[in-house]
Amino acid sequence: MKSRMTLGFAVATMEAGLLNNEKFVCQISNLKGPVVVVNQYREKAMDSAMFGSHVKVLNVRDRGLSLSRNLAMNALAEMDADFVVVCDDDIHLIPEGIQEAHDLIWQDGGQ
């Protein structure tokens, strides 16, 4: 049994549009839990190396927001994420909100 529950993040983007949101890119790079970025593209793929080892980038040519989220959720399950925050590429995270989510998840072993 895991000693701590894991909070993962699923990010959907198109044509690497996430890269236009520098604040969120920085936040993703500094998160402690697993992150999956699904980039739907025709011309502009993304590289996981720009983020760190906790971030997995899936470049897909298929279209659809539900598809992106499902791909991210499946990948996060493989990365042992217990809970997932679903994100679009035009947001910023509120650190206090992430901390509150962590506190709630880890309270009583996440049960």
Side-chain angles (χ1 to χ4, degrees):
M1 182 175 195
K2 291 166 52 169
S3 62
R4 293 195 95 167
M5 295 288 170
T6 304
L7 180 62
F9 296 82
V11 182
T13 192
M14 292 182 68
E15 295 298 340
L18 170 64
L19 301 179
N20 296 324
N21 187 344
E22 293 178 24
K23 182 174 182 177
F24 191 34
V25 169
C26 182
Q27 289 176 319
I28 289 170
S29 298
N30 291 314
L31 288 170
K32 293 180 174 51
V35 178
V36 174
V37 176
V38 179
N39 178 43
Q40 296 179 4
Y41 79 106
R42 297 258 193 270
E43 298 176 16
K44 193 166 184 181
M46 293 176 63
D47 185 2
S48 292
M50 67 180 35
F51 295 104
S53 62
H54 68 292
V55 179
K56 179 176 186 174
V57 174
L58 303 175
N59 289 295
V60 298
R61 294 202 181 262
D62 297 325
R63 297 286 186 185
L65 183 57
S66 294
L67 172 70
S68 287
R69 290 180 174 168
N70 288 336
L71 289 170
M73 297 294 276
N74 290 336
L76 284 164
E78 292 174 9
M79 297 167 81
D80 291 327
D82 299 295
F83 297 90
V84 176
V85 177
V86 178
C87 307
D88 290 324
D89 63 1
D90 60 349
I91 68 158
H92 298 146
L93 298 174
I94 300 170
E96 297 82 10
I98 299 303
Q99 185 59 52
E100 184 176 345
H102 279 133
D103 293 347
L104 288 170
I105 289 167
W106 294 328
Q107 178 181 343
D108 298 325
Q111 299 177 9

